[in-house]
Amino acid sequence: MSNFAAAAKQAILRRLPFVDLTVEVRDARIPLSSAFQPLAKEPFSRRRIVILNKIDLAEPNQTEIWINSFKERSSLCFGVNAHNEGSIKELLNLLVAHTKALQGEKTTFTSTVMLVGAPNVGKSAIANALHRIGRISAEEKGKFRRANVSSKPGETKDIRAYKIASHPNIYVLDTPGILFPEISDTRTASKLALTGIIEDCFIGQCALARYFLSILNSKEEYKRWKSLNGHPAEKSLPKRRQYPSDHTQDFIVLDVRRTLFRTISMFEGCLTEEAEMTQLISLQIAALREDFRVPAEETDVNVTVASKLLNLYQTGRLGRYTLESLHPQVCGIFPNTYGRT
C-alpha cells in the first residue's frame, strides 16, 4: 500500500465514528469487487447505506437482484445514476429522510454524511450532484464549490465537505478512493480494469478487450441488434469518407454492433469451451478492424481496435452489462487466456 493510500485510509477510519451516516458507493456492474474493503467486516447498520452507482451501465434486472440481496441482509441499498438529475433528487430525498430518522425528535441539527468507496466509482460526481441540487433546493447563494471529477482512478486526494441541504443542515464528505488489499486474482483485476477502477495498463488493452468480448458473447444483449443485420453498411459510405477516424459516430457504432451480432449468430462452436470462445473472439477482433477503419499500415492494429472497443463499452454504446451475478450465470469466462493477440 502506498504512503498516500495508508494516510487516506487512516484519515477515513478516524472520521467514521464521528459522522452521522456512512454512504458506501459501489459500481453497479461489480457490486462485490468494488466494495470498500475497510468496511468489509463491519456489520450493516442504520448508519450505513450502500449506493450502487452507474446503474445506467448495468443490467436493470441484475441491479434489482443485488439491491434486494442487500435488503435481505438488513442493509439499506439504493441504485443511482450520478449524471441523472431525477436519480440524484431521489437519493437526496432518501439521505435527508434517513438523516432525520437517525436524529429522532430533534428539529434543529447539523449532520455529516461521508462518502467512501474504491477509486472511480463516482463519489465525487455524486457529491457534486447532491451539492448542486441541494443548494438550489435550499435557495442558497454563493460560489458553487465543486469536487474534482476525473476519468482517472484516484484523483480525489483529500477529504472535502459540501453542503447538500438546509433545515436541517447536512454536509457530505467526499473522500479519496482507496483499493485494499493488493489485487492478485486475474478475474477480479480484469473486472476492476474494465470498469475503470484501476488503470487498464495492469491488464493490457488487448487482454481487456478480449475479456469484454467474452462477456458480450455470454450475454443476451447482442440479440437486441438483430434488426441491424438487414441494414447494409454501404449506406454510411459518404459519412465514412468524411469522418474515417472517429469511432464514436453513430454509423460506426452501428457497424460494430452489426458485426458483433453477425459473428456470434453465425458461430457454430460451443462458447462454454475455452478454445471455441477464443476462436470466436479472434474472429471478432479481425472483423472489427474494418469497422473501426484501422489503416493496414497501423503499427499495432490490435491495440487500436482494443482501445476503440473498450471506449464504446465504457461509455455504454455497446449495451449494459453486469459483470457479477448472484446466479450461476457466466459473466466472462477464461479471462486468463485472453492475453493472446
Side-chain angles (χ1 to χ4, degrees), residues 1-8:
M1 186 186 302
S2 67
N3 291 334
F4 163 72

Side-chain angles (χ1 to χ4, degrees), residues 290-315:
E290 181 179 350
D291 292 329
F292 284 130
R293 287 69 171 169
V294 181
E297 63 273 14
E298 185 84 26
T299 304
D300 199 331
V301 174
N302 286 343
V303 171
T304 301
V305 170
S307 176
K308 293 176 182 290
L309 181 67
L310 290 172
N311 175 260
L312 292 185
Y313 157 71
Q314 290 167 344
T315 54

Side-chain angles (χ1 to χ4, degrees), residues 3-19:
N3 291 334
F4 163 72
K9 174 185 176 182
Q10 291 304 315
I12 292 171
L13 294 180
R14 281 198 302 269
R15 281 175 171 79
L16 274 177
F18 303 103
V19 298

Side-chain angles (χ1 to χ4, degrees), residues 210 213-218 267 269-284 330 332-334 337-338:
R210 286 176 170 268
L213 286 173
S214 79
I215 294 167
L216 183 146
N217 295 337
S218 304
F267 189 72
C270 178
L271 296 183
T272 58
E273 297 292 332
E274 178 180 350
E276 303 286 355
M277 176 69 85
T278 302
Q279 180 185 355
L280 173 58
I281 290 172
S282 296
L283 291 172
Q284 290 173 317
V330 178
I333 55 178
F334 316 125
T337 69
Y338 294 150

Side-chain angles (χ1 to χ4, degrees), residues 96-332:
V96 171
H98 196 67
T99 300
K100 287 181 177 178
L102 290 175
Q103 294 293 338
E105 297 180 356
K106 292 181 181 179
T107 57
T108 303
F109 56 86
T110 296
S111 289
T112 53
V113 176
M114 186 159 70
L115 301 180
V116 299
N120 216 24
V121 292
K123 296 187 305 300
S124 295
I126 290 175
N128 278 334
L130 287 171
H131 176 48
R132 177 176 57 83
I133 293 174
R135 185 178 63 94
I136 292 173
S137 299
E139 297 182 351
E140 293 183 354
K141 298 180 180 180
K143 187 177 180 181
F144 176 41
R145 182 183 181 190
R146 290 180 57 86
N148 294 326
V149 179
S150 172
S151 59
K152 295 181 179 180
E155 285 296 297
T156 302
K157 299 298 184 183
D158 53 13
I159 299 176
R160 296 183 178 181
Y162 304 89
K163 192 170 186 178
I164 64 172
S166 296
H167 312 297
N169 294 317
I170 303 176
Y171 292 84
V172 64
L173 305 180
D174 184 27
T175 64
I178 310 167
L179 266 180
F180 310 101
E182 295 298 326
I183 304 164
S184 56
D185 177 72
T186 303
R187 185 184 297 274
T188 299
S190 297
K191 289 185 288 189
L192 292 173
L194 197 55
T195 52
I197 290 178
I198 63 174
E199 298 281 2
D200 55 25
C201 61
F202 290 101
I203 304 298
Q205 286 188 321
C206 289
L208 204 56
R210 286 176 170 268
Y211 179 57
F212 165 64
L213 286 173
S214 79
I215 294 167
L216 183 146
N217 295 337
S218 304
K219 297 280 191 175
E220 300 290 315
E221 180 70 17
Y222 78 93
K223 294 181 179 180
R224 298 173 179 266
W225 308 333
K226 182 177 181 179
S227 61
L228 302 176
N229 206 37
H231 294 259
E234 286 73 14
K235 291 183 178 180
S236 302
L237 280 175
K239 290 185 178 180
R240 241 182 241 164
R241 287 193 291 268
Q242 187 176 0
Y243 307 108
S245 60
D246 184 1
H247 68 281
T248 65
Q249 294 176 100
D250 290 342
F251 72 93
I252 292 183
V253 176
L254 291 177
D255 284 351
V256 170
R257 290 180 176 182
R258 183 184 297 109
T259 292
L260 293 173
F261 174 83
R262 175 172 47 81
T263 53
I264 301 172
S265 300
M266 297 179 63
F267 189 72
E268 297 180 351
C270 178
L271 296 183
T272 58
E273 297 292 332
E274 178 180 350
E276 303 286 355
M277 176 69 85
T278 302
Q279 180 185 355
L280 173 58
I281 290 172
S282 296
L283 291 172
Q284 290 173 317
I285 290 177
L288 289 172
R289 294 173 187 171
E290 181 179 350
D291 292 329
F292 284 130
R293 287 69 171 169
V294 181
E297 63 273 14
E298 185 84 26
T299 304
D300 199 331
V301 174
N302 286 343
V303 171
T304 301
V305 170
S307 176
K308 293 176 182 290
L309 181 67
L310 290 172
N311 175 260
L312 292 185
Y313 157 71
Q314 290 167 344
T315 54
R317 303 297 299 279
L318 295 180
R320 302 165 71 164
Y321 301 90
T322 299
L323 313 185
E324 293 177 336
S325 174
L326 284 172
H327 300 305
Q329 176 182 355
V330 178
C331 292

Side-chain angles (χ1 to χ4, degrees), residues 12-28:
I12 292 171
L13 294 180
R14 281 198 302 269
R15 281 175 171 79
L16 274 177
F18 303 103
V19 298
D20 298 288
L21 183 63
T22 301
V23 175
E24 181 189 359
V25 183
R26 302 191 187 187
D27 190 311

